Amino acid sequence: MSNLKEICSGLPLNPLPLNRGRDPNVPHAPTRNPNLTAAEERLALRNALRYFPPSHHAALAPEFAQELRQYGHIYMYRFCPTLRMRAYPLDQYPCRTHQAASIMLMIMNNLDPAVAQFPQELVTYGGNGQVFSNWAQFHLVMHYLSEMTEEQTLVMYSGHPMGLFPSLPSSPRAIITNGMVIPNYSSRKQYEKMFALGVSMYGQMTAGSYCYIGPQGIVHGTMLTVLNAGRRYLGSGDLKGRVFVTSGLGGMSGAQAKAAVIAGCIGVIAEVDEAPLRKRHEQGWLMEVTSSSEQCIKRIREAKSTNTALSLGYHGNIVDLWERLLLEFERTGDLLVDLGSDQTSLHNPYNGGYYPVQLSFRQANQLMSTDPERFKDIVQESLRRHITAINKLSDAGMYFWDYGNAFLLEAQRAGAEVEKPEGGATEFRYPSYVQHIMGDIFSLGFGPFRWVCTSGDPKDLTVTDEIAAAVLEEISAHVSDKIKQQYRDNIRWIREAGKHQMVVGSQARILYSDQKGRVRIALAINHAIADGRVSAPVVISRDHHDVSGTDSPFRETSNVYDGSAFCADMAVQNFVGDAFRGATWVALHNGGGVGWGEVMNGGFGLMLDGSEEAAKRASLMLNWDVSNGVARRCWSGNTNAYETIQRTMEDNRQLRVTMPFPVQEEHVLDRALQG
């Protein structure tokens, strides 16, 4: 494969490309263990071969069977392109419409080796967040997009392109669903089988919706979380000399090192896998690396004494680090950690998302495939040790929160002491970061808004940064004190974003904004494209982890207390509403963040091209995309959301939301229920 034209010409069949197998120079996904019966293996192979004419079946069947048995899935490595995967400038894609080209650019960014966690397995982040299930799907999608007109929509079923279907110019150019499984069959065990059969897929959040922008996407949210944790728990947003200990330096968790330094604190991050640790260090996101817990203690003390911001990567197990910090406290009385969290991929605890302290990295990878039941027992024992150390440090004065990665949920399932006395179904001994830190932000309509400059030109990104900062400064002069701090944090972020060198992959930016800010930024960028200040179209998007995009009772909706935290109407309504209000593409996923069967979430991409039509679409869709979630949070009883949606209705007379009447006298309920 030498160029984009070839990559868009469909499956390369005559001749078949050389089978190079796995590239030893890139990281690879752990071996999956779907436990297929002989009949299911046969079905998986039959399903994979249906992408190819029968004349190729004899050549491909043996290697596909070998992949299935060796790796637990048929990735079709033979068809992995040799062309360097990256976000090429929009005008280089051979397409009939810029809208299709924008989707192609975003797909290739998700598979860029500088961005993707396991590029040859088509995993963008989170250990198992797939863009596609196999490489045949990639080739077919790129071909369909290159042929698409503005009267067609690409329909995607869990990585599989069902085809191009006639639609309207106002319709989305792609509709994506991932993991839409009948609820009673949405278990992890059944997922492993369905993925091996090639019939369903876990798209995480922005992996399967083609909207990932590298770890920058989470740096900003992590920085805001750490800053707001300082304000809430330590009484100050000034974190000089304060220590934040956590784990994970992968696709999403890798942001923690950079965010800690931007927030001004000392971040110590444990990571068992040397590859992501080295990657973050080479990027400059991680300042120092050590495999010695003694060196960690020494560097923490030194950085505390000089109030120096530091990101220190500990190449080792997070449980060992917590236990060493506890030992230091018991020996000296010095509590060396102020804030703690965890970003191991516990949505995927038994297949590489969590490495137990009792085993080396290599031993764990081996045991998870050879004896999965024993591995599960060891993981749960490790989680119990993990929590014991955290509980003791917390009792001594450390503040810990769950980062929405199913850490406390899996710890509870392992029998660890995380129960909250008289707590609700979504409450544990420690709050999730949504419950205590970010939930109020969502209720005010603030969330992770992002954009990608499709020219690939850093100058365009600089111009859009300046536009966004000017818009936020103008709005912030006229907002209430309650949200002024959010504007200040985001103005500071966008003003300093360039110097922090966070672009990995596409020329992209993220900031947290409310409804008014998102709409005005989008319209201002669209105007800049129209008058030539920005040289090419810009794709606007957001993380699924947002005000309206995700129903997740242990994360995004964990602070919804009216009994509806386990309901998914909001995410589904958002997906549908975005589709007919102007999105270029929309996606709806089962799983993401906390894991398969635990979440429903969705996202969108919308291409701004400087036209009046793009401005109309952006305004209509972005207003809905935020108001939907604020209205739901208002109805659940959240006072911030009540005030926010009230103001929004005053600004837009066409918006009419059903408002709740709270019960003001509890004794009314007491009397009624006693009677």
Side-chain angles (χ1 to χ4, degrees), residues 471-482:
V471 167
L472 295 184
E473 281 170 350
E474 185 187 333
I475 298 173
S476 70
H478 311 286
V479 297
S480 67
D481 290 342
K482 187 176 278 188

Side-chain angles (χ1 to χ4, degrees), residues 615-668:
K616 184 179 173 185
R617 286 174 178 237
S619 181
L620 197 60
M621 200 216 73
L622 290 172
N623 276 307
W624 154 257
D625 194 67
V626 178
S627 280
N628 172 40
V630 178
R632 185 268 178 100
R633 292 166 194 278
C634 163
W635 185 246
S636 77
N638 186 292
T639 53
N640 278 338
Y642 188 102
E643 292 166 15
T644 302
I645 205 71
Q646 193 91 1
R647 281 196 308 273
T648 309
M649 284 194 286
E650 288 165 11
D651 291 341
N652 183 353
R653 293 297 173 187
Q654 284 190 295
L655 176 68
R656 295 179 64 187
V657 171
T658 306
M659 303 295 278
F661 293 101
V663 172
Q664 293 176 333
E665 304 289 343
E666 286 295 317
H667 67 79
V668 172

Side-chain angles (χ1 to χ4, degrees), residues 337-368:
V337 53
D338 302 285
L339 301 170
S341 192
D342 184 274
Q343 277 201 43
T344 46
S345 295
L346 270 156
H347 65 275
N348 182 32
Y350 310 122
N351 202 49
Y354 181 91
Y355 284 83
V357 66
Q358 308 94 310
L359 302 173
S360 71
F361 183 63
R362 188 186 292 271
Q363 288 170 333
N365 277 327
Q366 194 172 4
L367 190 64
M368 71 179 73

